[in-house]
Amino acid sequence: MTIRVMLVDDQVLLRTGFRMVLAAQPDMEVVAEAGDGAEAIDVLRATAVDVVLMDVRMPKLDGVEATRRICAQENPPKVLILTTFDLDEYAFSGLKAGASGFMLKDVPPAELLTAIRSVHSGDAVVAPSTTRRLLDRFAPMLPNTGAQPPLKELELLTGREREVMILVAQGLSNGEIAARLVLSEATVKTHVGRILTKLGLRDRVQVVVLAYETGLVRAGGGS
């Protein structure tokens, strides 16, 4: 299956570079480009896209608001935020808006390609530990941080799923969670999948965001 990619960046040279890298891949095709968020939304109305590579700083409509509007649509493409600065407020806002992850613009081509494939398959492309540091830094921006977890959202989880969710939010990989809870890695992966389904979340990044928003995990990794 060919992954249909859209490039959204106001710098033509960057789009050209990304297009050249993706064009060399047998399983990827750049099907659309846009110079700002507003144009991207217009193009998506007429073009089928699987993954959007989204810049954050653009004229007219920035990448964060564009991501929010795109992810609010029915069956939206996955969005991968591209940012110049690691762990900045734009990346945080992009994750909050529904992006499946973020990467630096100067990422090596091989890592970019892996990220696109991961996002397309439904995985997050931000390492759990990186996501945790990001959320720890910007936890004050979360309106409900420190509040009691709302039962309506989390009461659907079993006790084990709740344990797994907390460990995901604390930055542990599936392997680390398996070792901590004395489970197989496959079982942990199954629990994560059920958490995503029950809570209507896209990926692990969204699990972490919700855990911080509800106060299930607090800045600094406590629970």
Side-chain angles (χ1 to χ4, degrees), residues 128 160-161 163-185 187-189 191-192 195 204 207:
R160 179 64 84 185
E161 288 165 354
E163 285 182 283
V164 171
M165 182 174 179
I166 290 172
L167 295 176
V168 166
Q170 289 179 342
L172 276 67
S173 67
N174 284 353
E176 292 169 334
I177 294 172
R180 178 77 64 88
L181 299 180
V182 194
L183 300 170
S184 71
E185 193 165 341
T187 298
V188 172
K189 186 174 182 180
H191 283 312
V192 172
I195 291 167
R204 294 174 72 102
V207 171

Side-chain angles (χ1 to χ4, degrees), residues 14 16-25 27-28 53 80 82 103-118:
L14 277 176
T16 300
F18 288 140
R19 189 190 321 118
M20 291 176 62
V21 171
L22 271 57
Q25 304 305 306
D27 61 337
M28 295 185 190
L53 298 187
L80 176 58
L82 297 177
M103 301 189 76
L104 296 179
K105 283 189 176 182
D106 60 358
V107 63
E111 290 186 23
L112 176 64
L113 297 172
T114 297
I116 293 172
R117 294 185 179 103
S118 295

Side-chain angles (χ1 to χ4, degrees), residues 32-136:
E33 296 185 31
D36 61 71
E39 183 183 359
I41 292 172
D42 287 340
V43 172
L44 282 173
R45 293 193 179 101
T47 307
V49 174
D50 298 313
V51 177
V52 178
L53 298 187
M54 180 75 74
D55 184 24
V56 288
R57 296 183 177 93
M58 295 181 293
K60 296 183 181 179
L61 187 69
D62 65 36
V64 173
E65 180 58 28
T67 296
R68 182 175 295 108
R69 296 185 189 183
I70 290 171
C71 291
Q73 298 174 0
E74 185 175 357
N75 298 319
K78 301 295 177 63
V79 179
L80 176 58
I81 294 287
L82 297 177
T83 177
T84 303
F85 303 104
D86 193 13
L87 303 181
D88 69 359
E89 64 273 19
Y90 293 99
F92 173 86
S93 299
L95 296 179
K96 284 278 292 170
S100 294
F102 75 97
M103 301 189 76
L104 296 179
K105 283 189 176 182
D106 60 358
V107 63
E111 290 186 23
L112 176 64
L113 297 172
T114 297
I116 293 172
R117 294 185 179 103
S118 295
V119 166
H120 181 251
S121 69
D123 292 332
V125 298
V126 184
S129 59
T130 303
T131 306
R132 174 180 163 184
R133 291 198 306 269
L134 175 69
L135 289 168
D136 279 349

